[in-house]
Amino acid sequence: MDLMYRSTRNEENKVTASQAVLKGLAEDGGLFVPERIPRLALSPDALASLSYHETAYEVMHLFLTDYTEDELKHCIRCAYDEKFDTPEIAPLRRAGGAHYLELFHGATIAFKDMALSILPHLMTTAAKKNHEDREIVILTATSGDTGKAALAGFADVPGTRIIVFYPKNGVSAVQEKQMVTQKGANTCVIGIRGNFDDAQTGVKRLFSDTALNGALSEAGFRFSSANSINIGRLVPQIVYYVYAYGRMVKAGEIQAGEKINVVVPTGNFGNILAAYYAKGMGLPIGRLICASNENKVLFDFFRTGTYDRNREFILTSSPSMDILISSNLERLIYHIAGDDAQENARLMGELSAKGSYSVSSEMMERLKDFRGGFATMGEVSEEIGRVYAEDGYVLDTHTAVASRVYREYREQSGDDTPSVIASTASPYKFARSVMEAIDSRYAGMGDFALIDELSRISGTAVPGAIEEIRSARVLHDKVIDKDQMETAVRDFLV
Ligand SMILES: *Cc1c(COP(=O)(O)O)cnc(C)c1O
């Protein structure tokens, strides 16, 4: 029997995995969650001998049960190929007293590639399975990394178009350059005068605008989402936690069956939710440590049980985590409410009406494996400097948030369980902040001079993704107000 997915806001709304991938978001505004979390079939020691591809199949076939073995293996092969600069796909690197799981070896050098390399394949396969002949239009809001990774994944994929909205002044110079130089006739990139939450809220509104959806359907289009609310992104993210565990066993860092902690630099709560699902599958994970920057809504939530987005939005040196509405938290809320769609819908109603909600003490009890922490920009700089000085290893600003939070957690708790820190971006993507953290002398240097200097001091090659944009032409220069998003979509499509 197929594992079905239901909306976090309405139990009756059930779909298959491939339908959930196509839809992205449920019609009622909820997110699709699996009816139950499948158990890993392999024992912890068996994981040690699996390649990334094998691990991916082992995990994904349990969740995406209406895909055939051939379909799934084909998707996996197409996704995790030479686009990655290492056959390990997600290497584990020991430095500074922890293990960094490097998730940035894909086409756009951020962890979003781990899922967005496979999503277009999962989606076009799903379209065929469900006899969908309308063109799929991917609508995406990005805090910087999703946009480029989605563009790279969907560019020139037949039967799809992609529109990306990013906050004009809320992404790094490299992130913006990567997006606005994107090739592919089916791509469209637009800057918004506003922040990431404005872009994300605008996209959600377009998804649920029935008049717009009707008009587009008649013109032969249907919307779908490449944001981390799509289970086609969530499921591939579970894979690398299982893989990391196997690598830890293989390297002799832990005994098979021994627990590890996982530390994740968090924004929209997708990456850490995947770790939670991995734990739910039976992977021996102890604590799930959720690391935030100064936009520390999640830290406050884990401490107090109140989620409150009514606060100032702070632009930090880790822009991909500058988020006050962590969309994927809704899935966790649904689960800790006892898979209760009605209760979840009530809390989400409060969030949109007054910007905050509080969970019950019973729900708080179910969060006991989570720990929240946060790091300020100053602390992030210090951490980058420290790890570089100790080991010559260069962290990007997002990974440094997690690294700092981990160190503080370890000191305060005395918990020295072997820990895996999700390393979510290449330092090359945030070269300015990273280099200035290592030495303030670098402050006056140009972007590409900094990149060459980073290569020199770290002894690593400049990634292809960076070489590409040195001389690339700007192909997208549209900037709009946040209330013009619908018009922009119509202009691009019809
Ligand atoms: C997206 C992103 C994050 C946050 O991940 P979520 O799944 O949104 O919590 C962290 N670091 C980097 C570099 C990212 O691109």
Side-chain angles (χ1 to χ4, degrees):
M1 255 236 323
D2 275 331
L3 176 61
M4 300 297 283
Y5 287 75
R6 53 163 88 126
S7 164
T8 50
R9 297 191 192 179
N10 177 359
E11 251 110 47
E12 305 307 312
N13 195 351
K14 274 193 210 180
V15 296
T16 62
S18 68
Q19 286 163 347
V21 167
L22 268 183
K23 286 175 186 283
L25 200 67
E27 289 87 347
D28 54 32
L31 276 55
F32 289 113
V33 282
E35 276 189 315
R36 59 185 167 76
I37 308 293
R39 300 288 297 181
L40 274 172
L42 290 183
S43 65
D45 59 326
L47 297 175
S49 61
L50 299 189
S51 68
Y52 196 87
H53 291 79
E54 288 164 341
T55 312
Y57 182 72
E58 208 41 54
V59 171
M60 291 175 57
H61 89 276
L62 296 171
F63 281 95
L64 308 179
T65 57
D66 72 328
Y67 286 73
T68 66
E69 179 172 348
D70 280 352
E71 285 170 343
L72 214 45
K73 288 189 169 165
H74 175 76
C75 291
I76 291 168
R77 251 194 330 272
C78 293
Y80 306 110
D81 61 5
E82 302 74 45
K83 291 191 287 298
F84 285 77
D85 66 9
T86 162
E88 284 179 278
I89 306 295
L92 197 61
R93 171 79 190 256
R94 196 187 169 132
H99 300 88
Y100 293 90
L101 178 64
E102 295 187 348
L103 302 172
F104 55 76
H105 288 272
T108 75
I109 59 176
F111 97 96
K112 305 292 195 295
D113 290 324
M114 302 304 297
L116 282 163
S117 321
I118 195 164
L119 182 69
H121 302 286
L122 293 175
M123 207 175 262
T124 46
T125 306
K128 272 189 219 123
K129 295 178 95 60
N130 291 282
H131 312 290
E132 173 58 70
D133 43 22
R134 283 170 294 176
E135 201 169 347
I136 295 170
V137 178
I138 302 297
L139 272 192
T140 289
T142 184
S143 56
D145 290 329
T146 295
K148 180 61 188 185
L151 287 161
F154 282 96
D156 294 324
V157 171
T160 71
R161 296 202 200 186
I162 172 162
I163 306 174
V164 170
F165 295 100
Y166 73 96
K168 174 67 189 163
N169 295 317
V171 301
S172 84
V174 170
Q175 287 178 316
E176 181 170 38
K177 189 89 192 277
Q178 279 187 306
M179 288 190 279
V180 298
T181 56
Q182 178 65 47
K183 294 185 185 137
N186 67 336
T187 67
C188 173
V189 180
I190 298 172
I192 298 284
R193 292 182 199 99
N195 61 36
F196 170 70
D197 287 326
D198 295 327
Q200 176 160 265
T201 305
V203 163
K204 281 191 186 159
R205 197 174 308 120
L206 295 176
F207 271 116
S208 52
D209 181 333
T210 36
L212 176 67
N213 278 270
L216 289 185
S217 181
E218 264 174 35
F221 298 106
R222 77 171 282 175
F223 283 146
S224 192
S225 166
N227 273 90
S228 61
I229 48 174
N230 194 312
I231 62 131
R233 272 187 67 184
L234 197 53
V235 171
Q237 290 179 178
I238 302 170
V239 172
Y240 46 75
Y241 291 106
V242 177
Y243 180 69
Y245 190 88
R247 297 297 97 179
M248 290 284 279
V249 173
K250 190 169 181 187
E253 300 286 352
I254 53 168
Q255 300 291 318
E258 197 181 334
K259 281 189 176 157
I260 59 167
N261 288 339
V262 167
V263 192
V264 186
T266 298
N268 228 351
F269 209 75
N271 202 358
I272 193 165
L273 187 76
Y276 172 76
Y277 279 166
K279 182 177 165 87
M281 294 181 83
L283 193 72
I285 292 178
R287 291 262 137 78
L288 298 149
I289 301 168
C290 174
S292 302
N293 63 22
E294 276 108 331
N295 295 293
K296 58 182 182 59
V297 251
L298 289 165
F299 168 78
D300 293 337
F301 171 66
F302 285 119
R303 204 166 43 93
T304 63
T306 296
Y307 191 92
D308 187 356
R309 59 149 304 189
N310 299 306
R311 61 181 75 201
E312 195 192 341
F313 184 99
I314 302 168
L315 291 176
T316 73
S317 56
S318 45
S320 304
M321 296 160 64
D322 290 346
I323 290 173
L324 293 179
I325 308 175
S326 299
S327 297
N328 267 295
L329 186 67
E330 176 166 348
R331 289 187 163 107
L332 183 65
I333 298 296
Y334 168 86
H335 291 309
I336 62 171
D339 290 0
D340 183 340
Q342 224 175 341
E343 176 61 6
N344 175 66
R346 188 182 70 76
L347 294 172
M348 295 305 129
E350 286 189 14
L351 180 64
S352 63
K354 61 185 177 88
S356 72
Y357 60 83
S358 298
V359 301
S360 67
S361 53
E362 201 186 343
M363 287 169 74
M364 276 298 274
E365 180 58 25
R366 298 202 175 107
L367 291 176
K368 64 183 188 309
D369 295 330
F370 283 91
R371 286 291 177 280
F374 77 100
T376 63
M377 283 190 263
E379 289 167 339
V380 164
S381 288
E382 260 174 42
E383 183 70 4
I384 292 171
R386 180 190 73 89
V387 175
Y388 177 68
E390 277 177 22
D391 282 313
Y393 185 61
V394 183
L395 303 178
D396 94 282
T397 45
H398 304 74
T399 309
V401 169
S403 188
R404 172 74 184 209
V405 164
Y406 166 63
R407 208 153 50 84
E408 222 168 75
Y409 165 76
R410 204 164 109 172
E411 276 161 21
Q412 283 169 6
S413 66
D415 177 1
D416 55 8
T417 304
S419 296
V420 169
I421 298 176
S423 180
T424 50
S426 159
Y428 285 94
K429 207 157 187 177
F430 304 94
R432 177 157 307 278
S433 308
V434 167
M435 293 301 279
E436 288 179 11
I438 289 175
D439 193 330
S440 56
R441 256 180 336 117
Y442 291 129
M445 257 192 201
D447 288 331
F448 284 101
L450 274 177
I451 280 165
D452 291 330
E453 184 65 6
L454 171 55
S455 171
R456 196 183 65 77
I457 66 156
S458 64
T460 57
V462 177
I466 297 286
E467 291 297 355
E468 260 172 36
I469 57 167
R470 269 189 210 266
S471 56
R473 236 163 31 88
V474 172
L475 300 171
H476 308 267
D477 58 4
K478 198 166 186 173
V479 180
I480 61 170
D481 289 329
K482 60 188 180 190
D483 57 6
Q484 297 172 323
M485 289 168 69
E486 181 183 337
T487 316
V489 167
R490 287 182 187 266
D491 285 351
F492 177 60
L493 294 178
V494 288

